Amino acid sequence: MKRLILLIIILSVVSLIDSPAQKRKADRAYASFKAGEYYDAIDLFKDAYSKAKRSDRETRAELGYMIAEAYRLTNDPRNAETWYRLAVRSATSKPEAQYWLAESLKKTGKYQQAIEEFRKYKQVAPSDSRADQQIRACELSLEWERNPEAYRVEELKDLNSRFSDFSPAYGRDDFGVIYFTSSRDDAAGSKTHGATGQSFTDIFESRIDKKSKWSTPIPVDDLNSESEDGTPSFTSDYMQVFFTRCEAGKRETKGCVIMFAERSGDKWGDAKNTGILPDSLVAAHPSISSDGLTLYFVSDMPGGSGLKDIYYVNRNDESDEWSAPRNLGTDINTPGNDLFPHIRDDGTLYFASDGHIGMGGLDIFKAVPQPDGSWVVQNMKAPINGFADDFGISFERGNEKGIFSSTRKGRGNDDLYTFELPPLRFNVTGLIKDEKTGQPIQGSVVRLIASDGSNLQAETGQGGDFRFSLRPDVDYIFLASKQGYLNGKERETTKNQEKSRDFMVTIPLTAIDKPIELPNIFYDFGK
């Protein structure tokens, strides 16, 4: 998950056991790890591990565990799995190693193996409820893979690079301009981030041409700085943009703030700090409402539900100061990371989380506001989500299509993907047949009567078949008639159908060209 790491990882001091026998490179490895320079730490820990005596199993086990931890924190679950496996085999194995081994398997799509490892973790940590939730998540993931949603997902190859590309936002009302975050070459921030091994991120822009091809992305110089810049969000008139800026030194986080700038012609004015939080606290991942009066963002400020929570601030008009931040509550926020909010015009909130039940690390969730102030949260399932990290979604206004970010290609880098929910399409194919012989009846008249008032008619061909296109959310009756037969009918409905479907109906007709025999009925005289 190589994306604005400073936005979502707040470095904490890790308590580790020092010993006089530690070698200098091991000391440097621990120092790099504590500073969040995980890429450097991996090499240093591996060097120390290779030089540790085989007889010193405790030291080797600790160093192996730290290598696994560094791989996990650089979002490399495949390598993390290898080292966690070594760690759990040690006589001094930590319960956390077992948990993160299972988590690494889940993040590489090995759901059945992950279930087995989470069950082993339950044996060593029976009071940790995370195991049961993760087992349930793996079971649901297998089901969602078997029965994916109807979205079409494609890689946006025109924009992706070998570096991290993520958090897209449309910059024009015809959706022909995209702004996104990237650590590719040409970024203004020339420093290399120790947690990602890549350059600091910047905001880039691309435009679509008449052949529907996106232009080579270029940095938005008016918005970028020597710090990390990214995660843009536009007002509905595209005259203001909000984004994140993180000041950082070599081994310290100086803070992340939400900036905004106003458009002047083809240029952006000077970026200013929104000031929604003190500089000592982190504010990141902004999403501005369509009326420009509510700003959603992510923070790790004290008093939240978990590691990172989603908050919001209000104002009465654009000249007002922002209100005090309010937490979105436990319907949205979890003990884990809840990130990358995106608010749509209808008030539906989309966000990424690793705390709700999901398929991988970060999954994208849809939250619908309720009249009582609560939220109904749903996982967007496959193919939007998968075993990798999926996050940073953006929609075309009024359409069920857009762009999101994912690490699904397996390289650890973030890439951009388009998605679209095709319109629901329903058809019915029917057969009219003789009830007694089973033979198709040619020339039958079939009437379609619909609850939306439509009324159609067709005649069966040589095979006794007919076909109609149906509309969503409508009840249908099919009436079949043919001279010499009693009429027949069948019913179908497209109500509550969430996926396109072809219906099949068969209507048997009873012949009346022969006398219909009725049994003798005898009545008493005078009755």
Side-chain angles (χ1 to χ4, degrees), residues 183-184 187-194 196-201 225-228 246-252 254:
S183 60
R184 67 183 61 203
S190 58
K191 295 180 181 179
T192 298
H193 203 302
T196 66
Q198 297 185 12
S199 299
F200 281 5
T201 58
S225 68
E226 289 295 322
S227 302
E228 287 213 291
C246 289
E247 300 284 346
K250 176 66 176 174
R251 289 198 171 185
E252 62 178 339
K254 297 180 180 177

Side-chain angles (χ1 to χ4, degrees), residues 411-527:
R411 296 186 309 227
N413 283 344
D414 309 312
D415 287 316
L416 299 175
Y417 291 81
T418 62
F419 70 93
E420 180 177 8
L421 184 63
L424 291 175
R425 299 186 185 280
F426 301 105
N427 297 292
V428 61
T429 299
L431 173 66
I432 310 299
K433 68 177 184 178
D434 188 293
E435 183 181 43
K436 188 172 183 179
T437 67
Q439 294 299 309
I441 303 176
Q442 180 181 2
S444 303
V445 176
V446 183
R447 286 184 57 202
L448 174 151
I449 302 174
S451 60
D452 66 353
S454 57
N455 193 324
L456 300 174
Q457 184 170 301
E459 185 172 307
T460 59
Q462 186 175 356
D465 57 303
F466 65 90
R467 181 180 175 86
F468 291 109
S469 294
L470 308 180
R471 296 176 180 174
D473 203 33
V474 176
D475 294 321
Y476 290 93
I477 297 176
F478 306 98
L479 298 177
S481 61
K482 171 74 173 178
Q483 188 173 0
Y485 289 87
L486 296 175
N487 293 343
K489 71 177 180 180
E490 280 293 338
R491 298 175 183 269
E492 272 299 352
T493 183
T494 57
K495 289 183 176 179
N496 301 318
Q497 295 287 335
E498 297 180 353
K499 296 182 180 180
S500 298
R501 178 180 170 185
D502 289 331
F503 295 91
M504 299 288 294
V505 298
T506 300
I507 306 177
L509 300 184
T510 303
I512 57 173
D513 55 350
K514 297 180 179 179
I516 299 176
E517 296 183 5
L518 297 175
N520 291 328
I521 301 175
F522 298 99
Y523 297 94
D524 291 338
F525 291 108
K527 296 294 185 180

